[in-house]
Amino acid sequence: MKLQTNISLAILLAFSVLAFASVSRASDELGRDPKRDVRRCEQQCQRQQPYFEEHLCRQRCQQDRVEIERNTGITANERDVEREYERCQEECRARGSESDNPYYFDSKSFESRYATGEGHMKVLQRFSEKSDLLLGIDKFRVGFYEANPNTFMLPHHWDADSVLFIIKGKATVTFLKQKNRETFNLEHGDVLMIPAGTTAYLTSTHKAEKLQIAELLRPVNTPGRYQQFFGIGGEESKSFFNSFSTEILQAAMNLPRDQLEQLLNQQKKGTIVKASQEQVRALAHGMSRRQFGASKGPFSLLDGRPQMSNEHGEFYEVTPNDYQLLEDLDVSVAYCDIKQGSMMAPHYNSRTTYIVLVEEGSGYFEIARPHSENESNKKQQGSSQRYEKVRSPLSKGDVFVVPAGHPLALVASENESIRTIGFGINAQDNQRNFLAGQDNIVNQLDEEAIELSFNMPAREVEEMFQKQQKSYFMTGPKRQQNSLISLLEFAGL
Amino acid sequence: MKLQTNISLAILLAFSVLAFASVSRASDELGRDPKRDVRRCEQQCQRQQPYFEEHLCRQRCQQDRVEIERNTGITANERDVEREYERCQEECRARGSESDNPYYFDSKSFESRYATGEGHMKVLQRFSEKSDLLLGIDKFRVGFYEANPNTFMLPHHWDADSVLFIIKGKATVTFLKQKNRETFNLEHGDVLMIPAGTTAYLTSTHKAEKLQIAELLRPVNTPGRYQQFFGIGGEESKSFFNSFSTEILQAAMNLPRDQLEQLLNQQKKGTIVKASQEQVRALAHGMSRRQFGASKGPFSLLDGRPQMSNEHGEFYEVTPNDYQLLEDLDVSVAYCDIKQGSMMAPHYNSRTTYIVLVEEGSGYFEIARPHSENESNKKQQGSSQRYEKVRSPLSKGDVFVVPAGHPLALVASENESIRTIGFGINAQDNQRNFLAGQDNIVNQLDEEAIELSFNMPAREVEEMFQKQQKSYFMTGPKRQQNSLISLLEFAGL
Amino acid sequence: MKLQTNISLAILLAFSVLAFASVSRASDELGRDPKRDVRRCEQQCQRQQPYFEEHLCRQRCQQDRVEIERNTGITANERDVEREYERCQEECRARGSESDNPYYFDSKSFESRYATGEGHMKVLQRFSEKSDLLLGIDKFRVGFYEANPNTFMLPHHWDADSVLFIIKGKATVTFLKQKNRETFNLEHGDVLMIPAGTTAYLTSTHKAEKLQIAELLRPVNTPGRYQQFFGIGGEESKSFFNSFSTEILQAAMNLPRDQLEQLLNQQKKGTIVKASQEQVRALAHGMSRRQFGASKGPFSLLDGRPQMSNEHGEFYEVTPNDYQLLEDLDVSVAYCDIKQGSMMAPHYNSRTTYIVLVEEGSGYFEIARPHSENESNKKQQGSSQRYEKVRSPLSKGDVFVVPAGHPLALVASENESIRTIGFGINAQDNQRNFLAGQDNIVNQLDEEAIELSFNMPAREVEEMFQKQQKSYFMTGPKRQQNSLISLLEFAGL
């Protein structure tokens, strides 16, 4: 019966229609008060992830209440009411449950690595802790660094290769080599690859703006686990120098103990310290990207022209072909800006899995996920393939993963645009295949394939796929009219 | 005492000899009836895996019974009888236990992914589920596809790189790109590599013959787990299109809801559908391999001339050197045809592990396996290396794995030949080292090495290794004469 | 209070001071008796890790005993004192406690693979069994081979790529190919890469000296697990030939059963056998490295000139750039000789993890290890990074691992030098960054960075870092005088 099969809208409607029937009866008879039911439904909604459905549902619950209070006596079988009510609750639970979305990490999924008064570094939980489906990218970690203007991060190195993307502010990074040093000036949109074990220090050079950096890290020692090594200077307890025996340091430095202690323990302010204007000016004498070949130093992602763009959005990407320092990691970095009320057309990547961080704004995403991937349904793997929707609202600081081959739609909210940074794993030879819009693989089907696939005349299908004039970016979904009428229409009543 | 050490034959003989001794006594004294013992032994035999030994054993038990019934009175210690009997049972159990053969998968080890009236796809269980010894190839999966003549498989893609081998029938495969499409015609022996995420559709173009395809897959997202994505056309519930919110699809396609539903839900026949003669003819307009360079489209494995061949068998193989699309996967595809009553000489591969599917016919294989690999004997790892025989009968649809470095002998049955398809993992720089026949590494030993290794005059050894005139393929083992005489001779009585 | 913070020496001092104080008073008054003092010593011992302190502790236990016995007015049962003293010594021995040191394997961590009267092969436990921190190198194994002079190891192959380093003696290795053979003569310092599956035999050719070989293995089948395959010749039970069915061998070799058994079972002496002077002379006709290009056959690590050297030590290394057979494994082999009383300056490797085997001599190492790596402290990961000292005494046959990025100091004992062989994992593009001595990345810091890092005038810091005239190798730490006086001085009393 269509009422039941026709996804949440119909179910919620059915619930509302039958639920308010229950009003006509004595609550005790029914053993439950419909108003309370509605309140429960609202609570359920509050727990729901998907932004858009939550919104719809809240309104509907509101309408239901209005209806229920307005109307009187419609006869309905109690058991129906029971059933619809339970189904509604399941609906809510299903849509609400985190566990059902293995690809979404809200901004609270980062854990702090260290923090001082001047800045902090945090790292996203391991992907495998979230879901087995993410084991393929578990050797990577995602980090986030923030520091005040005019601050200096002490020399350090990681046991991980890292790729930096400057979100905000200005930075000067210096690499120390045995025989020389290299200094680079970075600003919004710059990408810098730092090989594992490179001793570097970092200055936040903007006078007013905080420095924000998104990082992708690939540990070289233990898969998925990396450490930062502060040694040169820094507090006694926080420098690896101080973990060597005093007698070894004395011998290595050829210094008496008192001088040694003086040298190592003067600095008490931690790993991120305030710097004076003069110091910053002196440190920020590095070269900007323009003075390097593409293969050396940073890469300015947003200097070039976008790969895809129209009035609804822009997409930039740097791959190992453009910036060869990314070759060994086989990683790409993408930047996507979707204007408010717009969306990126449904598409999938042939072999790259993207780890996407929301830089600014809000919206939501939907991923089509094979049902049998769902652990709980593993039994069903024998049966024929089905797909289920995975969606989450997105706001600043959230992270989501788009596995290779999985169709994705990314939608900006109606009142602000959304800007995202994507780190692409397995970057080489990736194809981005769009499923709607002008540039669309469906347009390449030959007639017979169309007929057999759609069981319709080829011309009709082609016309339908031509309806969308735009490519890649287009107007996003409009919020439905929330009148009961439209609901009734939709439910086919 | 030789009777005991001299493997199963001797043990079984010993049993028969001593067992029928027991006849001379009163069963109750012995506490067991030798005839029943023999029946038990037969039952044990029925549970045994190895084709050939099962055969031998059945005959022997038969002979034992005959003997026992014919003869009278030989004195033998009861406890000896007991011991021999128990050893016989252990023997049987050992040879019988599946668990003891981590390299063999019978045709029932495939699980169905999906099936319609017109065809089905199935996938072999994960290798790691079978044994830790197969962890090294666990990132690969083996699939099997079968479809009726004149059928069409809807457009789809996998989140896995795949290598296809056409076993039977004819196929036309079309790849959809953003800007164009490529179509290939395939027939028996053709190999095609399909990169992960390629949207493709497949037509079974032979008028009468079913299409059968063997597949090797390497998932790009989750190691050892892959999914197939049907989207363009197809049933409502089985297209990933339908898992996007209606409002997103409407916006993406720029279509009203009713047209959208019409477009997406016309096709109700599932993912493999019947096609008309005309449609098939139109679809099968692709190019056959000959119109491509070796590096593009399919590769015809059986067109070239075999790498090894004589009247007993033929061996073909394509490596990344011949077909560069296999380079990234580092996979080779081999085809081996062993004539009835023949065998492939004992040999091992230096670094390639082969996953072998039996295309047609029957026979059996033997693999020499270091004893300490056997989990249960892990304790013994300290002691000096020993080897045990792993063997299984082979028939159509079975799969077996030959790990790198492990010596293998492959034998066709005496009444039909056996044809196998092998997917080679770690294909680069593999050496196939034969241990018998004319082309034989033993022939390269210098005299002193021979003397020290065999503790015999070098000339004698060399002569023995020259006895076999053939290379690679030769006459297979003859089934022994099963007279008690030969058994007694062999046992040295 | 300094007495307490100032590491073990001070703690021990405190004890000694109080201990002899206790002598001067009545035990009851002081509320303590020497037995309890010794027990305190135990407790303090328990908190101490390293070799150097072990040495001190032993002496101190000695002193305690002397004190206790010298003094009068102590009510102490002699046996108690004895027992306490022994316990104290055990404590000292026990220190170096494995559990706290995931990077150290003493020579007993090898398990025997096989052993005959003439030689044996052993393999180090799997790295992952020791600690999760070593998962990154778990696909490698370390082996050790030793054989008597004038012995022959029967033809065999491994299902692993292996890199050999000749520690001692002379060897001739022969590779068997299908069409030819290659023979190489090896001596101390030679490195040889043997591809997986290569059939080889090995002769210990030195007249008097044992042959010793260190091996790094990378299994090709099952990660971290490899097997050795003896087939050609050898004892019945120890040749994979004999694990094939007799009927298969007869057919393959085209030999009657009796000849077959004669051929396969003559040799009864196992896999390593005595060889006559003549046989050895005949077998040792190989070519030494000088007759090959760098890319073929062995590489003589110690022929070239050291990368780093002075009167305190020498360091040699061969990387894939010098010896391309190491390219696929991405492995380097390093040889380090530190003279007695000297040390290698604190440094870290940017991306290579070294597995180091002590060839000769003794000493100890210290590694600075991020605290949060310590499983038990995982909770603390949120808090700011700290480092802890990991150290162990080193003697012949010990193995230790130096993870990439982790600062290391390696110290020879004062009475003998230490010589080590290092296998480097992830050899490509490694940088060795020294933290003290003339060649020192700190010298590359610009002024402002120095000021901010050390919170001292740049000139002062630079001067201090210039104090050490040597590079790489230098005089090691001096052992303190162990008299109570020096302890008092040191504690500043």
Side-chain angles (χ1 to χ4, degrees), chain C residues 93-211:
Chain C
R93 245 172 272 113
R95 271 179 288 120
S97 71
E98 303 264 331
S99 65
D100 217 38
N101 187 342
Y103 305 131
Y104 171 73
F105 300 79
D106 74 11
S107 51
K108 288 179 289 299
S109 308
F110 284 86
E111 60 193 25
S112 168
R113 269 300 176 92
Y114 59 83
T116 79
E118 296 297 341
H120 68 277
M121 162 78 86
K122 54 188 192 174
V123 60
L124 188 67
Q125 71 178 105
R126 282 191 68 159
F127 293 108
S128 58
E129 289 170 4
K130 180 80 167 193
S131 164
D132 282 356
L133 297 175
L134 302 181
L135 275 170
I137 57 172
D138 198 40
K139 62 177 192 282
F140 289 90
R141 297 298 294 272
V142 171
F144 181 86
Y145 176 73
E146 185 172 75
N148 290 338
N150 295 317
T151 52
F152 176 79
M153 185 188 211
L154 265 53
H156 62 275
H157 68 270
W158 282 316
D159 58 351
D161 294 306
S162 59
V163 178
L164 275 53
F165 178 91
I166 308 299
I167 295 174
K168 216 168 148 192
K170 287 175 177 293
T172 299
V173 176
T174 301
F175 294 172
L176 293 183
K177 303 269 159 98
Q178 206 78 300
K179 301 291 181 198
N180 67 326
R181 66 169 176 264
E182 289 173 348
T183 300
F184 312 113
N185 293 332
L186 306 173
E187 56 188 63
H188 177 255
D190 283 351
V191 174
L192 180 64
M193 192 280 199
I194 305 183
T198 305
T199 296
Y201 49 90
L202 178 68
T203 315
S204 169
T205 56
H206 195 288
K207 278 170 188 45
E209 208 174 32
K210 281 192 177 214
L211 172 64

Side-chain angles (χ1 to χ4, degrees), chain A residues 12-261:
Chain A
L12 283 160
L13 173 71
F15 160 64
S16 64
V17 170
L18 294 161
F20 82 69
S22 63
V23 192
S24 60
R25 320 199 145 220
S27 311
D28 57 357
E29 236 187 306
L30 185 61
R32 176 157 18 77
D33 162 15
K35 286 182 202 148
R36 210 182 62 248
D37 294 350
V38 176
R39 244 170 278 117
R40 282 232 200 102
C41 180
E42 277 186 304
Q43 288 156 18
Q44 299 284 2
C45 292
Q46 280 152 20
R47 279 186 234 104
Q48 288 172 22
Q49 282 307 311
Y51 161 82
F52 194 67
E53 288 181 28
E54 173 176 357
H55 178 89
L56 268 184
C57 179
R58 283 176 163 291
Q59 281 171 321
R60 258 186 229 98
C61 293
Q62 192 46 50
Q63 291 162 0
D64 302 339
R65 165 178 283 136
V66 172
E67 286 303 315
I68 290 162
E69 281 156 358
R70 191 191 318 120
N71 286 275
T72 48
I74 290 180
T75 63
N77 174 318
E78 281 177 24
R79 235 194 262 80
D80 289 349
V81 179
E82 291 277 2
R83 214 185 303 106
E84 293 307 335
Y85 175 73
E86 272 142 30
R87 204 181 279 126
C88 166
Q89 290 216 322
E90 277 159 34
E91 255 303 307
C92 295
R93 240 177 272 111
R95 275 178 294 154
S97 66
E98 259 286 351
S99 70
D100 225 30
N101 188 343
Y103 305 131
Y104 171 74
F105 300 78
D106 74 11
S107 51
K108 288 179 290 300
S109 309
F110 284 87
E111 60 194 25
S112 168
R113 268 300 174 92
Y114 57 83
T116 78
E118 297 297 341
H120 68 278
M121 160 78 85
K122 54 188 193 176
V123 60
L124 189 67
Q125 71 178 105
R126 281 191 69 160
F127 293 108
S128 59
E129 289 170 5
K130 180 80 169 193
S131 164
D132 282 357
L133 296 175
L134 302 182
L135 276 172
I137 56 172
D138 198 40
K139 62 177 190 281
F140 289 90
R141 298 298 293 272
V142 171
F144 181 86
Y145 176 74
E146 184 173 75
N148 291 336
N150 296 316
T151 53
F152 177 79
M153 185 189 210
L154 266 53
H156 62 275
H157 69 270
W158 281 317
D159 59 351
D161 294 306
S162 58
V163 178
L164 275 53
F165 178 92
I166 308 299
I167 294 174
K168 215 168 148 193
K170 286 175 177 295
T172 298
V173 176
T174 301
F175 294 172
L176 292 184
K177 304 270 160 100
Q178 206 77 302
K179 301 288 181 200
N180 67 327
R181 65 168 177 263
E182 289 173 348
T183 301
F184 312 114
N185 293 332
L186 306 173
E187 57 189 62
H188 176 255
D190 283 350
V191 175
L192 179 64
M193 192 279 199
I194 305 184
T198 305
T199 295
Y201 48 89
L202 178 68
T203 316
S204 170
T205 56
H206 195 286
K207 278 169 188 45
E209 209 175 31
K210 280 190 177 218
L211 173 64
Q212 289 184 343
I213 301 179
E215 299 173 332
L216 180 74
L217 297 109
R218 186 185 62 178
V220 293
N221 283 320
T222 321
R225 297 179 59 189
Y226 71 98
Q227 300 294 341
Q228 195 162 15
F229 293 79
F230 285 97
I232 297 162
E235 284 177 86
E236 176 179 18
S237 66
K238 304 204 181 87
S239 159
F240 57 71
F241 253 99
N242 289 281
S243 64
F244 284 113
S245 302
T246 320
E247 64 268 15
I248 282 189
L249 291 177
Q250 281 180 269
M253 308 280 296
N254 190 24
L255 288 177
R257 174 187 293 273
D258 54 353
Q259 277 195 48
L260 188 65
E261 298 198 328

Side-chain angles (χ1 to χ4, degrees), chain C residues 205-421:
Chain C
T205 56
H206 195 288
K207 278 170 188 45
E209 208 174 32
K210 281 192 177 214
L211 172 64
Q212 288 184 344
I213 302 180
E215 298 173 333
L216 180 74
L217 297 109
R218 187 186 62 179
V220 294
N221 283 319
T222 320
R225 297 180 58 190
Y226 71 97
Q227 301 294 342
Q228 194 162 15
F229 293 79
F230 286 96
I232 298 161
E235 284 177 85
E236 175 181 20
S237 66
K238 303 203 182 91
S239 159
F240 58 69
F241 254 98
N242 288 280
S243 63
F244 284 113
S245 302
T246 321
E247 63 268 15
I248 282 189
L249 291 177
Q250 281 181 270
M253 308 280 296
N254 190 24
L255 287 177
R257 175 187 295 273
D258 55 352
Q259 277 196 46
L260 189 65
E261 298 200 326
Q262 184 196 1
L263 176 67
L264 298 182
N265 306 328
Q266 275 308 309
Q267 214 272 43
K268 308 262 182 236
K269 305 200 220 62
T271 51
I272 308 175
V273 299
K274 196 86 202 150
S276 70
Q277 290 289 352
E278 302 65 39
Q279 288 172 317
V280 169
R281 207 175 299 108
L283 286 162
H285 52 40
M287 290 173 282
S288 68
R289 184 243 167 179
R290 284 139 211 80
Q291 294 147 266
F292 293 98
S295 72
K296 209 165 164 308
F299 182 94
S300 295
L301 179 54
L302 306 182
D303 273 6
R305 78 138 90 87
Q307 295 188 345
M308 308 179 278
S309 73
N310 61 26
E311 67 270 37
H312 295 286
E314 289 186 331
F315 183 91
Y316 299 83
E317 186 166 39
V318 54
T319 70
N321 301 335
D322 319 306
Y323 184 35
Q324 96 182 41
L325 291 181
L326 297 175
E327 198 162 30
D328 174 46
L329 289 169
D330 194 13
V331 157
S332 62
V333 183
Y335 185 80
C336 184
D337 181 346
I338 304 176
K339 306 297 179 219
Q340 67 183 74
S342 302
M343 69 186 283
M344 189 175 189
H347 67 279
Y348 71 89
N349 290 282
S350 64
R351 54 187 323 118
T352 298
T353 292
Y354 281 94
I355 304 167
V356 184
L357 173 72
V358 178
E359 177 192 295
E360 278 296 345
S362 66
Y364 67 98
F365 74 89
E366 288 192 357
I367 288 176
R369 162 196 184 190
H371 203 275
S372 54
E373 279 187 8
N374 188 329
E375 284 314 296
S376 60
N377 297 47
K378 207 166 183 187
K379 305 268 163 303
Q380 298 189 9
Q381 202 165 42
S383 76
S384 77
Q385 192 90 78
R386 292 172 174 284
Y387 304 89
E388 66 185 6
K389 182 194 319 171
V390 169
R391 64 187 279 175
S392 287
L394 293 172
S395 50
K396 183 175 179 172
D398 291 349
V399 172
F400 64 103
V401 174
V402 188
H406 287 51
L408 162 82
L410 185 52
V411 182
S413 76
E414 299 192 6
N415 31 45
E416 60 176 336
S417 63
I418 186 167
R419 292 197 294 280
T420 62
I421 299 144

